Amino acid sequence: MEINTPKTANKDNDQPSSETEHIKHGRKKSIVWKHFTVKDVEPDMKRAFCNNCEMHYAYSNGTKLSGTSHLKRHINNGKCKGICQKNQETPNSTACGSGDALDPLRRRKRSTAGLVGVSFDQEQCNHEIATMIIQHEYPLQIVEQPGFIEFVRTLQPQFNMVSLNTIERNCVAMYLREKQNLLNFIRGIPGRVSLTLDLWTSNQTLGYVFLRGHFIDNDWNLHRPILSVVMVPSPNSDDFINQSVVTCLSDWHLEGRVFTIALDQCFFNESLIGSFRRSLSVKNPAMLNGQLISGNCYVRVISRLAQDALWTMKDTIVKVRESVKYVKTSEYHEEKFIELKRQLQVHTEKDLLIDDQTKWNTTYYMLVAACELKDIFAYWDTSNFDYIITLSIDEWKQVETLCTYLKYLFDAANIVTRQPYPTTNAFFSELSKLQVHLTHAAMSQDPFIRNLIRPLQEKFDKYWKESCLILATAVAMDPRFKMKLVEFTFSRLFCEKAEPLIRAVDKGLHELFTEYEGMTKTPMSQEGSFEASFLLAGDGLSDFEIYISEITSQQSELDQYLEESLLPRVPEFNILSWWKLNRLNYPTLSRMASDILSIPISTLSSDSVFDTELRNLDSHRSSLRPATLEALICAKDWSQGGSLPLLPPLDVSSAT
C-alpha cells in the first residue's frame, strides 16, 4: 500500500525526506507492505507497525532506511501471533512459520519454475527407469515395491508404473539396440580383438564366464567392453568354457579376428589351452600358433603374492587388527588415542582403519597407519590395564618390513586402476622393477626378509618367464624404448641367459610382422613391373633407380622402426597418439602395433584389482534368466565405457 506522508521539504535542509524520496520513485513493491504500515513516532523517525499484531520495527531514522528483511522474518518465521491465529482458524492453511507461507508471489514462482513448457512423457519415463535399473544395479522388482511406487506417484501423479515383465523387456531392448551399435563399431575397426575370460560364481554353484573384448579403433582409442556373460552349469568343465568362447566369437563375428586370449589360473589347464590353440590358430594365424594364449592374469598373480605374504604373518596381523579395533570401536578410546597422539607429537596424517579382509589393499592401509602410530600403542600398553594386546618391538619391525614389500605389490597392481586404462607397453617396466626387488630380497642376509620373500619370488619368477614374450613385444612398440629396454632389462635380470631370450623376442616380432605383411601386401603384376621399368628408362639412370628400390625394399618397416633413434622420455607421453601420427610412415607395422598395444594383461576389471576372493553374483542376479542377466551387465558396462559411440534414447514403445 502507498504511505500518505507529507511531501514538504525538510525544514533543516533543502533535501527531501527519505520517505518522500522513496515515494517519488514509485509504489513500495515488497509484499511485506500488505502486513505493515509505516507511522511517525518522532519528527525524524518512522517505524513499521504489523497490521496483525502489536509488534513494530525500525523503518527509518533521518535519511537512513532499515530495509525489509527483518519485516519478512516477522511474518514468515512464525513470530506474528496474529497470522498464526488466523492460520489455525483457516482449514487447509499453510502451517505457521513454514517459511514461504505468507509469500504467495514467491511460492507461485517456485511452483511454476521448471514446469513451463514441460509436458509429461510416459515413454521417456519408462526409459529413464530402465536406465536407472541398469546403471545402479537395482532389482527389477523395484517397480513393484510400494515405497517406490508411492514416491513416483508423488512426483508425477500421471505416471503409470510399468510392470515387472515390461521393465525387463525394456532393459533387454536397450541392450539389444546398443549391442547392434557396438557390433557395427567393432566391424569397422581395422585391427583384431583380444579376449579375456573371467569366472564368477553364485550361491547355486553355477559359473558365469565374463568375456571382455580389447581393441583399438580407427582413432586410436583403447576399448574394453564386456561382450558376453555366459552361464555354465559346471565352472570346472573345459567343454562349457570352450563353448562359451566359440559362442561369443560367432555372436560378434570374430571367428577370424582374434589376436590373443588371456585367462586366469582358475581356468588354466593344458587340455583347455590345447583346445583353444587347435580351434583358434587355424583361422587366426597372427596368434603365432597359439603362443599368444596366456594362462596367467597379472592382477591375480600380484594379489596371490600379497595374500601369501599376509598369511605368513597372520598371527602378528591379527594382533594389529585387534589393536585397531580396540581403538576404533570405542568413542572413549578413540578420543583418548587422539589426545595421546597430540601429547606425544606424532606427526602423521594417517588415521587408523579396520580392514576389509576381502580387499588386501585395505589390510595394507591398516598396517601402514598402525606402524606410523605404533608409539601411541606402546604408550597405551603401559598406561591401560584393560589393553592386553601387545606387539613387541621386533614384531613392529617385521610389520614395517612387510609393508615395504606390500608397497611394491600395491604399486604394481595399482597400475590397472589408472584412467585411461594403460596400454600393454606400460606393464613391462612395472614388472621388471618388481622382479628386481623380489630377487634382491630373496637373497637378503636378513633371515626374516629372505624367508618372507623367497616363496613369493619363486612364484613371480614363473609368471615372469611365461609372460615376458608378450610384455617385451609390447614395450618394443614403444618408440621411447623399442628393443633397447628389452636388452637392458633381460641382461640385468638373466645375466648370461639373457641373449637367447632377447633373440626369442626379436624373432617373435619379425615372425609376427611377416604374418601382417602377408595379410596386407598384394603382389605386383608382371605387367605392372614392366610398365614401371619402362617409365624409368630414357634418362640413363634406370639401373640406379632399380638398385635404390631394391635396397629400400630389403629393409622392412619393422627394421626401419627399430633402427631409428629413441624418442626422449617425456611426461604425459601418449603412445597411441604417436602411432596415430605415424601410421602413414608405418602402414603395416602400425596395424601390428595397435593389436599388440591392446593385448590384455589382466582379466579383471579395475574395481576388483585388490579382491582376495572370486567374484560372486548376488542372489537376485543369479535368479535372473541368463539373457536378462547378460543384458543388464553388458548394458551397464557399455554405458560406463565413455568412449564408445552413443545413440539417442531408445523409443521403448515397441518393447512394451
Side-chain angles (χ1 to χ4, degrees):
M1 60 180 291
E2 184 173 347
I3 309 300
N4 296 319
T5 54
K7 299 184 180 180
T8 57
N10 192 297
K11 294 181 180 180
D12 297 330
N13 54 61
D14 294 335
Q15 298 298 325
S17 68
S18 60
E19 184 64 23
T20 303
E21 184 180 7
H22 187 78
I23 292 174
K24 286 183 178 179
H25 290 298
R27 283 178 68 90
K28 293 183 175 64
K29 296 180 180 180
S30 175
I31 201 169
V32 300
W33 301 117
K34 293 182 179 181
H35 306 279
F36 283 90
T37 300
V38 176
K39 298 179 181 179
D40 293 317
V41 293
E42 292 184 17
D44 290 327
M45 181 180 297
K46 300 180 185 294
R47 294 185 70 83
F49 288 80
C50 179
N51 299 332
N52 304 293
C53 67
E54 298 178 353
M55 295 296 294
H56 53 89
Y57 298 90
Y59 176 69
S60 67
N61 187 359
T63 60
K64 182 178 180 182
L65 291 174
S66 298
T68 59
S69 297
H70 58 310
L71 307 182
K72 291 179 181 178
R73 287 195 293 270
H74 173 76
I75 61 176
N76 283 337
N77 293 350
K79 295 180 179 181
C80 182
K81 296 179 181 179
I83 292 178
C84 288
Q85 184 177 357
K86 289 180 181 179
N87 286 339
Q88 291 173 359
E89 295 173 354
T90 305
N92 302 323
S93 64
T94 306
C96 180
S98 60
D100 290 332
L102 303 179
D103 196 340
L105 179 61
R106 184 190 303 173
R107 186 175 57 188
R108 183 168 63 253
K109 287 182 178 179
R110 287 185 178 178
S111 63
T112 57
L115 297 179
V116 179
V118 176
S119 60
F120 171 68
D121 188 334
Q122 175 75 36
E123 298 303 333
Q124 181 64 27
C125 291
N126 292 348
H127 171 77
E128 294 302 330
I129 288 182
T131 302
M132 176 190 73
I133 288 174
I134 290 172
Q135 290 183 349
H136 301 290
E137 299 184 10
Y138 293 139
L140 295 173
Q141 288 81 358
I142 192 174
V143 298
E144 295 181 340
Q145 294 174 353
F148 181 71
I149 294 174
E150 189 62 29
F151 170 71
V152 173
R153 283 177 178 170
T154 302
L155 295 178
Q156 177 50 265
Q158 299 181 57
F159 179 69
N160 294 318
M161 182 59 69
V162 293
S163 67
L164 176 63
N165 290 335
T166 298
I167 199 65
E168 182 177 5
R169 289 197 299 269
N170 289 354
C171 290
V172 172
M174 291 174 65
Y175 155 74
L176 291 175
R177 181 170 178 267
E178 293 302 324
K179 181 179 180 179
Q180 185 60 51
N181 179 38
L182 180 57
L183 185 63
N184 294 337
F185 185 67
I186 293 177
R187 187 180 289 122
I189 66 172
R192 287 170 165 69
V193 177
S194 291
L195 296 177
T196 55
L197 278 70
D198 188 24
L199 181 66
W200 288 42
T201 58
S202 70
N203 295 334
Q204 292 86 358
T205 67
L206 296 171
Y208 297 86
V209 181
F210 283 58
L211 292 105
R212 188 182 291 272
H214 303 249
F215 57 88
I216 290 174
D217 66 17
N218 287 294
D219 289 326
W220 288 83
N221 298 308
L222 177 63
H223 303 275
R224 305 171 56 251
I226 295 176
L227 300 180
S228 298
V229 179
V230 183
M231 186 186 75
V232 292
S234 174
N236 298 320
S237 171
D238 294 350
D239 292 336
F240 285 124
I241 294 173
N242 191 35
Q243 184 58 42
S244 68
V245 175
V246 173
T247 302
C248 175
L249 297 182
S250 174
D251 199 24
W252 290 89
H253 305 165
L254 296 174
E255 290 91 341
R257 301 184 64 189
V258 178
F259 187 56
T260 67
I261 291 183
L263 56 156
D264 186 36
Q265 281 186 341
C266 61
F267 289 105
F268 187 83
N269 61 70
E270 291 301 328
S271 172
L272 180 61
I273 296 300
S275 177
F276 281 155
R277 285 174 177 161
R278 287 190 299 272
S279 61
L280 297 176
S281 296
V282 175
K283 292 186 177 181
N284 300 273
M287 295 183 73
L288 295 180
N289 298 319
Q291 293 180 55
L292 298 182
I293 298 178
S294 173
N296 275 311
C297 168
Y298 169 83
V299 166
R300 292 281 193 205
V301 170
I302 301 299
S303 181
R304 290 182 185 118
L305 295 182
Q307 292 177 70
D308 288 348
L310 293 170
W311 178 256
T312 302
M313 292 186 58
K314 61 182 183 300
D315 294 336
T316 304
I317 293 173
V318 167
K319 287 185 178 182
V320 175
R321 184 178 293 118
E322 293 302 318
S323 296
V324 173
K325 287 182 180 180
Y326 179 86
V327 175
K328 298 296 290 184
T329 56
S330 167
E331 185 175 344
Y332 169 75
H333 290 163
E334 188 165 17
E335 290 177 354
K336 188 174 181 181
F337 193 87
I338 294 172
E339 178 60 24
L340 282 174
K341 177 183 177 182
R342 186 188 65 80
Q343 292 177 5
L344 297 174
Q345 298 182 351
V346 178
H347 301 291
T348 177
E349 296 298 323
K350 289 186 169 56
D351 189 20
L352 293 177
L353 61 88
I354 303 173
D355 64 330
D356 173 4
Q357 295 181 53
T358 66
K359 300 278 189 181
W360 67 264
N361 62 320
T362 65
T363 305
Y364 165 66
Y365 294 144
M366 179 187 71
L367 297 177
V368 170
C371 284
E372 295 197 13
L373 298 165
K374 66 180 183 298
D375 291 341
I376 305 176
F377 282 112
Y379 183 84
W380 202 313
D381 184 24
T382 61
S383 60
N384 290 269
F385 296 108
D386 59 338
Y387 178 67
I388 58 176
I389 311 164
T390 59
L391 276 79
S392 66
I393 295 176
D394 287 341
E395 285 178 317
W396 280 116
K397 288 182 179 179
Q398 290 175 358
V399 173
E400 289 177 335
T401 300
L402 173 64
C403 288
T404 298
Y405 291 97
L406 285 177
K407 177 66 163 59
Y408 297 141
L409 298 174
F410 173 82
D411 290 343
N414 205 44
I415 185 177
V416 181
T417 66
R418 294 179 186 172
Q419 293 297 330
Y421 193 86
T423 46
T424 315
N425 59 297
F427 290 87
F428 184 83
S429 297
E430 291 294 331
L431 282 172
S432 61
K433 286 191 297 185
L434 183 57
Q435 175 77 351
V436 169
H437 289 311
L438 295 179
T439 301
H440 289 170
M443 298 184 293
S444 173
Q445 298 298 316
D446 186 329
F448 172 76
I449 296 177
R450 187 171 60 250
N451 294 333
L452 174 69
I453 301 302
R454 181 171 290 172
L456 310 184
Q457 190 271 335
E458 292 174 353
K459 292 181 180 180
F460 183 76
D461 190 58
K462 182 176 182 295
Y463 166 72
W464 171 257
K465 290 179 179 178
E466 292 174 350
S467 306
C468 64
L469 172 63
I470 292 178
L471 296 171
T473 300
V475 83
M477 294 295 99
D478 190 328
R480 299 168 298 171
F481 303 117
K482 302 183 182 180
M483 282 297 294
K484 300 301 182 184
L485 184 60
V486 176
E487 295 166 1
F488 170 77
T489 302
F490 281 10
S491 298
R492 185 173 58 164
L493 291 176
F494 304 114
C495 301
E496 67 277 358
K497 298 179 181 179
E499 189 59 33
L501 293 173
I502 295 171
R503 287 199 303 270
V505 174
D506 185 73
K507 180 181 177 182
L509 274 173
H510 282 82
E511 287 181 357
L512 191 59
F513 181 77
T514 300
E515 294 280 1
Y516 276 81
E517 266 193 322
M519 291 182 287
T520 58
K521 186 179 294 185
T522 54
M524 183 182 293
S525 65
Q526 291 295 325
E527 182 180 354
S529 299
F530 174 79
E531 183 179 358
S533 61
F534 176 79
L535 292 174
L536 289 172
D539 59 359
L541 295 175
S542 58
D543 291 340
F544 175 73
E545 296 288 351
I546 295 174
Y547 170 72
I548 294 299
S549 176
E550 289 177 349
I551 292 179
T552 304
S553 63
Q554 288 175 0
Q555 191 177 40
S556 67
E557 290 178 24
L558 175 60
D559 291 327
Q560 292 178 43
Y561 164 78
L562 293 176
E563 290 179 7
E564 289 178 353
S565 301
L566 301 180
L567 291 184
R569 291 189 294 127
V570 295
E572 307 301 328
F573 175 76
N574 189 321
I575 189 172
L576 295 182
S577 296
W578 187 89
W579 276 105
K580 181 180 180 180
L581 291 172
N582 289 272
R583 66 187 186 279
L584 297 180
N585 296 331
Y586 307 105
T588 301
L589 185 61
S590 63
R591 287 189 59 188
M592 186 176 104
S594 72
D595 292 341
I596 290 176
L597 294 174
S598 62
I599 293 176
I601 301 301
S602 172
T603 65
L604 301 181
S605 58
S606 300
D607 61 345
S608 55
V609 167
F610 300 103
D611 286 358
T612 59
E613 301 173 354
L614 286 177
R615 301 298 295 271
N616 191 63
L617 283 179
D618 58 42
S619 57
H620 161 65
R621 292 213 151 189
S622 59
S623 67
L624 296 172
R625 292 183 296 177
T628 303
L629 175 67
E630 181 178 50
L632 293 174
I633 292 176
C634 289
K636 178 186 177 181
D637 180 76
W638 300 343
S639 69
Q640 292 178 334
S643 57
L644 290 176
L646 299 177
L647 293 178
L650 171 67
D651 179 7
V652 295
S653 58
S654 60
T656 55

